[in-house]
Amino acid sequence: MSTGMVYLTRRERFNAAHKLWVEAWSDEKNQQMFGKCSNRNWHGHNYDLFVTVKGQPDPVTGFVMDVKELSKLIKMTIVDKVDHSNLNLDVDFIPKGMQPTTENLAILFWQQLEPHIKNCKLHSIKLYETENIYVEYFGE
Amino acid sequence: MSTGMVYLTRRERFNAAHKLWVEAWSDEKNQQMFGKCSNRNWHGHNYDLFVTVKGQPDPVTGFVMDVKELSKLIKMTIVDKVDHSNLNLDVDFIPKGMQPTTENLAILFWQQLEPHIKNCKLHSIKLYETENIYVEYFGE
Amino acid sequence: MSTGMVYLTRRERFNAAHKLWVEAWSDEKNQQMFGKCSNRNWHGHNYDLFVTVKGQPDPVTGFVMDVKELSKLIKMTIVDKVDHSNLNLDVDFIPKGMQPTTENLAILFWQQLEPHIKNCKLHSIKLYETENIYVEYFGE
Amino acid sequence: MSTGMVYLTRRERFNAAHKLWVEAWSDEKNQQMFGKCSNRNWHGHNYDLFVTVKGQPDPVTGFVMDVKELSKLIKMTIVDKVDHSNLNLDVDFIPKGMQPTTENLAILFWQQLEPHIKNCKLHSIKLYETENIYVEYFGE
Amino acid sequence: MSTGMVYLTRRERFNAAHKLWVEAWSDEKNQQMFGKCSNRNWHGHNYDLFVTVKGQPDPVTGFVMDVKELSKLIKMTIVDKVDHSNLNLDVDFIPKGMQPTTENLAILFWQQLEPHIKNCKLHSIKLYETENIYVEYFGE
Amino acid sequence: MSTGMVYLTRRERFNAAHKLWVEAWSDEKNQQMFGKCSNRNWHGHNYDLFVTVKGQPDPVTGFVMDVKELSKLIKMTIVDKVDHSNLNLDVDFIPKGMQPTTENLAILFWQQLEPHIKNCKLHSIKLYETENIYVEYFGE
């Protein structure tokens, strides 16, 4: 079947602690900007991570990519490093001082994973912080 | 981090009554086109509203937009006016005689909210009428 | 297999309009008690209805009850009468003047369905009004 | 209201059995590529199918397309043929020997449905195999 | 804290094929009783399995039971045997000729798991076949 | 309508950080028992809290309890104290040294809320830590 692009998405999940806090700011300014998210003693979330790759299905296997392989790559480059972590303190690929907002996490996750996707292309990172808030990043 | 666009989505919810009914049509024609949705005495839904804005995360806060501010704007311009309302009778920004279909609501919600989004851009309105039906509108 | 009770649940869905409004009360008292739910022009919901029956699985078919038959009974006695209806005005088994709260609906649905369940027993009616509110009724 | 495109989505569901198995390969190679999905005796899934069409809402009805009509078309061209089927053996529009992967199914579903969409355009087929895996196809 | 019973639930998931078919019956009778579920070539489901145990939380760990240990036991006694299987053909603990209905599966899963639960008690098996159908079994 | 008990449930949500860590134990023993949950720098969750009360619906209002009042009580006694908190450090009603497991939280939440429920009875606390793990407590 000669066809166009198919987009394949894999969900992974992780739990982590974080806070939003700008060191250069006073307590008051942090409280004013970040509200409860600036709690000094941290809070946390169950994150839902959706990774989408795109490509043409292989004519024999019917796979854009082996989804088990995609799952392994997401775990190796992202989930194993952030699951049950403190996003401000524990994760080597999150620069110190960068706010671990959902927006920044999505960009950093792209940078972690993208070099490992072969034969098809990374299309998007979608990250849920709560059932009411998510971000998407397309690498551009 | 110099990056591209990040898309940030906030969900809000509301409940409302409506009916689909063209005044210029006979009862039979309304029944034929709209079926049960034309019930003279109304029916209703729990609507799920997803609003997406896009922009570059602020280098200090890591926010495309303060999601609490986005939530307030959605409530002020849309949810406070439609929640627990009758969409045919009670809402000032829905023209009388316009069918309150999910399609038309999405467009009207865009028009309500778009002028209030500053520093980043409104990207889409996604509106669920039931778990099986939703629409998306991108303003163009 | 000689076993104990197995509980079988079937979900059905319907959409309806209603308001909460006690005729004998002033507008102010209705507003005070029922808040936005007392909107004169109605509001509405997507209701999720879970009906549970209990019995011993038939040794040949493995069924407590044919779930397609259960679905038909729920539709015949409840859903066909309330779907796309106005719960205050349109439903013959809801007494005029009785508030169509989720609590009262659950009890009335039990009374509608229970006489039709043969060979096994009706165990419960569970009714979601929103994702955040549901009631359960066990007939006693 | 002169407006742009609105995207309307309808969800349908079906259950089916399948296996992933390349006839030309040894058992070992099938096992290596497809893992548990190559089980000779089949396995199965509850599939969630989201079909999106796009168009301008009709100025009178407010519909991009009658969603009940869309539902009928999806059932007629896709769901009635795949529901409670064996995707490798029972479905006339799935070529023998083609792997019934989620990717290939999405493309085939597009080809089945697209000729039947009138007055608006088919935009995408989104197919969930599990809560963790889905694909999207846009016809190009 | 001297307290009463706490009920702890763990969800696991599996995918499987099955059909409902009584050997002693004609094709017509099977079709009449089981409808599409009697398709000779099988169909399948994504099953959601909820296992609940009850006990008093340990005063030091705060655990009724280590939920990771519970997960392992469910996998060892149930999921590893039914995941990506044919429930009529492949599973040693499902008696040949017994219909693999959701009801019978719940009872058999109880029998598989119950002897392995130590220090607390198995309370219930809850098994979803689709989002609209589930059963519960309490061992009595 | 003279009827039996109706059970009314309200969901609230909160996000928090915690760790599982017994002070009297070595690092190795904590790691062995609690695994990743013992991360020194905390991790966190989105918690879903379902509170159920039971009673007879009021003959005039049709309410077991005003669900807005129930929501306020849950927020006042529980959610306002745990939302965006560190469960090991910040919450006055969680004894220092008690593990903030889902089991212990459910019991403590019961103790917080129960004295405030008037005219009907608290029936259960159900608390989700992840989509795969939840506990229930019935006060006895």
Side-chain angles (χ1 to χ4, degrees):
Chain A
M1 209 157 44
S2 91
T3 63
M5 286 289 174
V6 177
Y7 296 73
L8 170 68
T9 299
R10 172 74 192 182
R11 182 181 75 131
E12 302 289 341
R13 296 174 299 111
F14 65 93
N15 312 313
H18 77 157
K19 70 175 168 190
L20 303 183
W21 182 271
V22 175
E23 282 297 329
W25 291 358
S26 66
D27 286 17
E28 290 70 22
K29 188 164 178 189
N30 272 295
Q31 169 64 29
Q32 186 181 341
M33 171 59 73
F34 295 120
K36 294 182 295 181
C37 297
S38 69
N39 176 27
R40 189 178 294 276
N41 286 330
W42 324 94
H43 66 285
H45 297 289
N46 301 338
Y47 290 92
D48 260 26
L49 169 60
F50 294 81
V51 172
T52 302
V53 297
K54 62 185 168 189
Q56 296 205 3
D58 180 274
V60 176
T61 64
F63 282 173
V64 164
M65 180 178 175
D66 180 352
V67 77
K68 292 188 298 296
E69 177 66 16
L70 179 56
S71 173
K72 276 185 205 163
L73 289 174
I74 301 169
K75 283 176 179 152
M76 182 185 76
T77 61
I78 301 171
V79 171
D80 288 350
K81 298 174 182 236
V82 294
D83 190 29
H84 284 77
S85 80
N86 183 310
L87 297 172
N88 300 67
L89 301 177
D90 293 338
V91 184
D92 58 10
F93 67 77
I94 305 180
K96 295 302 168 239
M98 175 182 285
Q99 300 309 309
T101 58
T102 322
E103 289 94 327
N104 281 340
L105 292 174
I107 296 170
L108 293 166
F109 290 179
W110 176 285
Q111 294 171 347
Q112 279 295 108
L113 181 60
E114 198 274 337
H116 297 269
I117 302 296
K118 315 291 190 195
N119 303 321
C120 63
K121 285 186 186 305
L122 183 58
H123 174 68
S124 68
I125 298 287
K126 185 177 185 177
L127 183 62
Y128 278 79
E129 189 181 82
T130 72
E131 65 183 40
N132 292 328
I133 300 171
Y134 65 84
V135 304
E136 289 171 284
Y137 182 60
F138 300 88
E140 54 190 27
Chain B
M1 208 159 43
S2 91
T3 62
M5 286 289 175
V6 177
Y7 295 73
L8 169 68
T9 299
R10 172 74 191 183
R11 182 182 73 132
E12 302 289 342
R13 297 173 299 110
F14 65 93
N15 312 313
H18 78 157
K19 69 176 168 189
L20 303 184
W21 182 271
V22 175
E23 283 296 330
W25 290 357
S26 66
D27 286 17
E28 289 70 22
K29 188 163 179 190
N30 272 295
Q31 168 64 28
Q32 186 181 343
M33 172 59 74
F34 296 120
K36 295 182 295 181
C37 297
S38 68
N39 176 27
R40 189 177 295 275
N41 287 330
W42 324 96
H43 66 286
H45 297 289
N46 301 338
Y47 290 92
D48 260 26
L49 170 60
F50 294 80
V51 173
T52 302
V53 296
K54 62 183 169 189
Q56 295 205 4
D58 181 275
V60 176
T61 63
F63 283 173
V64 164
M65 179 178 175
D66 181 351
V67 78
K68 293 188 297 295
E69 177 66 16
L70 178 56
S71 174
K72 276 185 206 162
L73 288 175
I74 302 169
K75 284 175 179 152
M76 182 185 76
T77 61
I78 301 171
V79 171
D80 288 350
K81 298 175 183 235
V82 294
D83 190 30
H84 284 76
S85 80
N86 182 309
L87 298 172
N88 300 66
L89 301 178
D90 293 338
V91 184
D92 58 10
F93 67 78
I94 304 180
K96 293 303 167 241
M98 174 181 285
Q99 299 310 309
T101 58
T102 323
E103 289 93 327
N104 281 340
L105 292 173
I107 296 170
L108 293 165
F109 290 0
W110 176 285
Q111 294 171 347
Q112 280 295 109
L113 180 61
E114 198 274 337
H116 298 269
I117 303 297
K118 314 291 190 196
N119 304 320
C120 64
K121 284 187 186 306
L122 183 59
H123 174 68
S124 67
I125 298 286
K126 185 176 184 178
L127 183 63
Y128 278 79
E129 189 180 81
T130 71
E131 66 183 39
N132 292 329
I133 299 172
Y134 66 83
V135 305
E136 289 171 285
Y137 181 62
F138 299 88
E140 55 190 27
Chain C
M1 208 157 46
S2 91
T3 63
M5 285 290 174
V6 178
Y7 295 72
L8 169 68
T9 299
R10 172 74 193 182
R11 182 181 74 132
E12 302 290 341
R13 297 174 298 111
F14 65 94
N15 311 313
H18 77 157
K19 69 177 169 189
L20 304 183
W21 182 270
V22 175
E23 282 296 331
W25 290 358
S26 66
D27 286 16
E28 290 70 22
K29 189 164 177 189
N30 273 295
Q31 168 64 28
Q32 187 182 341
M33 172 57 74
F34 296 121
K36 294 181 297 181
C37 298
S38 69
N39 176 27
R40 189 178 294 276
N41 287 331
W42 324 96
H43 65 285
H45 297 289
N46 302 337
Y47 289 92
D48 260 25
L49 169 61
F50 294 79
V51 172
T52 302
V53 297
K54 63 183 169 189
Q56 296 205 4
D58 180 275
V60 176
T61 63
F63 283 172
V64 164
M65 180 179 175
D66 181 351
V67 79
K68 293 186 298 295
E69 178 65 17
L70 179 55
S71 173
K72 275 184 207 164
L73 288 174
I74 301 168
K75 283 175 179 154
M76 182 185 75
T77 60
I78 301 171
V79 171
D80 289 350
K81 297 175 184 234
V82 294
D83 189 30
H84 284 77
S85 80
N86 183 308
L87 298 171
N88 299 67
L89 301 178
D90 293 338
V91 184
D92 59 10
F93 67 78
I94 304 180
K96 294 305 165 238
M98 174 181 285
Q99 300 309 309
T101 59
T102 322
E103 290 94 327
N104 281 340
L105 292 173
I107 296 170
L108 292 166
F109 290 179
W110 175 285
Q111 294 171 346
Q112 281 295 111
L113 181 61
E114 199 274 336
H116 298 269
I117 303 294
K118 314 292 189 193
N119 303 321
C120 64
K121 283 188 187 304
L122 183 58
H123 174 67
S124 68
I125 299 285
K126 185 177 185 177
L127 183 62
Y128 278 79
E129 189 181 80
T130 71
E131 66 183 38
N132 291 328
I133 300 171
Y134 66 83
V135 304
E136 289 171 284
Y137 181 61
F138 300 88
E140 53 191 26
Chain D
M1 207 158 46
S2 92
T3 63
M5 285 290 175
V6 177
Y7 296 72
L8 169 68
T9 299
R10 172 74 192 183
R11 182 182 74 132
E12 301 290 340
R13 297 173 299 111
F14 64 94
N15 312 313
H18 77 157
K19 69 176 168 188
L20 303 183
W21 182 271
V22 174
E23 282 296 331
W25 291 358
S26 67
D27 286 17
E28 290 71 22
K29 189 163 178 189
N30 273 295
Q31 168 64 28
Q32 185 181 342
M33 172 58 73
F34 296 119
K36 294 182 295 182
C37 298
S38 68
N39 175 28
R40 189 177 294 276
N41 286 330
W42 325 95
H43 65 285
H45 296 289
N46 302 338
Y47 289 92
D48 260 25
L49 169 61
F50 294 79
V51 172
T52 302
V53 296
K54 62 184 168 188
Q56 297 205 4
D58 180 276
V60 175
T61 64
F63 283 172
V64 164
M65 180 178 173
D66 180 351
V67 77
K68 294 188 296 297
E69 177 65 17
L70 178 55
S71 174
K72 276 185 205 162
L73 288 175
I74 302 169
K75 284 175 179 153
M76 182 185 75
T77 60
I78 301 171
V79 171
D80 288 350
K81 298 174 184 236
V82 294
D83 189 30
H84 285 76
S85 80
N86 182 309
L87 298 172
N88 299 67
L89 301 177
D90 293 338
V91 184
D92 58 10
F93 67 77
I94 304 180
K96 293 305 165 236
M98 174 182 284
Q99 299 310 309
T101 59
T102 322
E103 289 94 325
N104 281 339
L105 292 173
I107 296 170
L108 293 166
F109 290 0
W110 176 285
Q111 294 171 346
Q112 280 296 110
L113 181 60
E114 198 274 338
H116 297 269
I117 302 296
K118 314 292 190 194
N119 303 320
C120 64
K121 284 186 186 306
L122 183 58
H123 174 67
S124 67
I125 298 286
K126 184 177 185 178
L127 183 62
Y128 278 79
E129 189 180 81
T130 71
E131 67 183 39
N132 292 328
I133 300 172
Y134 66 83
V135 304
E136 288 171 284
Y137 182 61
F138 299 88
E140 54 190 27
Chain E
M1 208 159 42
S2 90
T3 62
M5 285 291 174
V6 178
Y7 296 73
L8 170 68
T9 299
R10 172 74 191 183
R11 183 182 73 132
E12 302 289 343
R13 297 173 299 112
F14 64 94
N15 312 313
H18 77 158
K19 69 177 169 188
L20 303 184
W21 182 270
V22 175
E23 283 296 331
W25 291 358
S26 66
D27 286 17
E28 290 69 23
K29 189 163 179 190
N30 272 296
Q31 168 64 28
Q32 186 182 342
M33 172 57 74
F34 296 121
K36 295 181 295 181
C37 298
S38 68
N39 176 28
R40 190 177 294 276
N41 286 330
W42 325 96
H43 65 285
H45 297 289
N46 302 337
Y47 289 93
D48 260 27
L49 169 61
F50 294 79
V51 172
T52 302
V53 297
K54 62 183 169 189
Q56 295 204 6
D58 180 275
V60 176
T61 63
F63 283 172
V64 165
M65 179 179 175
D66 181 351
V67 78
K68 293 187 297 295
E69 178 65 16
L70 179 55
S71 173
K72 277 184 205 163
L73 289 174
I74 301 169
K75 284 175 178 153
M76 182 184 75
T77 61
I78 301 171
V79 172
D80 289 349
K81 298 175 183 235
V82 294
D83 189 30
H84 284 76
S85 80
N86 183 309
L87 298 172
N88 299 67
L89 301 178
D90 293 338
V91 184
D92 59 9
F93 67 77
I94 304 180
K96 294 304 167 239
M98 175 181 285
Q99 299 310 309
T101 58
T102 322
E103 289 93 326
N104 281 340
L105 292 173
I107 296 170
L108 292 166
F109 290 179
W110 176 286
Q111 294 171 346
Q112 280 294 110
L113 181 61
E114 198 274 336
H116 297 268
I117 303 296
K118 315 290 189 196
N119 303 320
C120 64
K121 283 186 186 308
L122 183 59
H123 175 68
S124 67
I125 298 286
K126 184 177 184 178
L127 183 62
Y128 277 78
E129 189 181 80
T130 71
E131 65 183 39
N132 292 329
I133 300 171
Y134 66 83
V135 305
E136 289 171 285
Y137 182 61
F138 300 87
E140 55 190 26
Chain F
M1 208 158 45
S2 90
T3 63
M5 286 290 175
V6 178
Y7 296 72
L8 170 68
T9 299
R10 172 75 192 183
R11 182 182 74 132
E12 301 289 342
R13 297 174 298 112
F14 65 93
N15 311 313
H18 77 156
K19 69 176 168 190
L20 303 183
W21 182 271
V22 175
E23 282 296 331
W25 291 358
S26 66
D27 287 16
E28 290 71 22
K29 188 164 178 188
N30 272 296
Q31 168 65 28
Q32 186 182 341
M33 172 58 74
F34 295 120
K36 294 182 295 181
C37 298
S38 68
N39 175 28
R40 189 177 294 276
N41 286 330
W42 325 95
H43 65 285
H45 297 290
N46 302 338
Y47 289 92
D48 260 26
L49 169 60
F50 294 80
V51 173
T52 303
V53 297
K54 62 184 169 189
Q56 296 205 3
D58 181 275
V60 176
T61 65
F63 283 172
V64 164
M65 180 178 176
D66 180 351
V67 77
K68 293 187 298 295
E69 178 65 16
L70 179 56
S71 173
K72 275 186 207 163
L73 288 174
I74 301 169
K75 284 176 178 153
M76 182 185 75
T77 61
I78 301 171
V79 171
D80 288 350
K81 297 173 183 237
V82 294
D83 190 29
H84 284 76
S85 81
N86 183 309
L87 297 172
N88 299 67
L89 301 177
D90 293 338
V91 183
D92 59 9
F93 67 77
I94 304 180
K96 294 304 167 237
M98 175 181 286
Q99 300 309 309
T101 58
T102 322
E103 289 93 327
N104 281 340
L105 292 173
I107 296 170
L108 293 165
F109 290 179
W110 176 285
Q111 293 171 348
Q112 280 296 109
L113 181 60
E114 197 275 335
H116 298 268
I117 303 295
K118 314 291 190 196
N119 303 320
C120 64
K121 284 186 186 305
L122 183 59
H123 174 68
S124 67
I125 298 286
K126 185 177 185 178
L127 183 62
Y128 278 79
E129 189 181 80
T130 70
E131 66 183 39
N132 292 328
I133 300 171
Y134 66 83
V135 305
E136 289 171 284
Y137 182 61
F138 300 88
E140 54 190 27

